[in-house]
Amino acid sequence: MTFPPAPLPVASPCIKVCVLDARNVCVGCGRTIDEITQWSRLTEEQQRQVVDRARQRREAAS
């Protein structure tokens, strides 16, 4: 019996530019301070949602 490979864990979007703006959003990765501090406790689906929201924030800021 063969099983499909397990999905890879969601990589943190951190790029080591950890500076918060006035809204408590990291200018490096686009996550809020709450998303950053809760990252390790989130499910993979929640982490994917955070990555999507962070990407949207970075795109909106450019």
Side-chain angles (χ1 to χ4, degrees), residues 1-3 9 11 14 17 20 23 33 37 47 50 55-56 60:
M1 186 174 212
T2 305
F3 296 99
C14 180
V17 180
L20 298 177
R23 299 173 301 141
I33 189 68
T37 59
Q47 289 176 341
V50 166
R55 178 186 46 78
Q56 292 169 1

Side-chain angles (χ1 to χ4, degrees), residues 8 10 54:
L8 296 174
V10 179

Side-chain angles (χ1 to χ4, degrees), residues 4-62:
L8 296 174
V10 179
S12 168
C14 180
I15 61 168
K16 308 289 190 246
V17 180
C18 305
V19 178
L20 298 177
D21 66 12
R23 299 173 301 141
N24 282 329
V25 173
C26 178
V27 299
C29 69
R31 292 181 293 172
T32 66
I33 189 68
D34 290 335
E35 291 168 339
I36 293 167
T37 59
Q38 295 173 7
W39 179 260
S40 64
R41 293 185 297 276
L42 299 176
T43 66
E44 287 186 8
E45 179 58 30
Q46 290 170 322
Q47 289 176 341
R48 284 186 188 86
Q49 293 170 358
V50 166
V51 169
D52 287 342
R53 287 192 304 268
R55 178 186 46 78
Q56 292 169 1
R57 286 185 200 110
R58 286 191 317 275
E59 288 173 358
S62 338

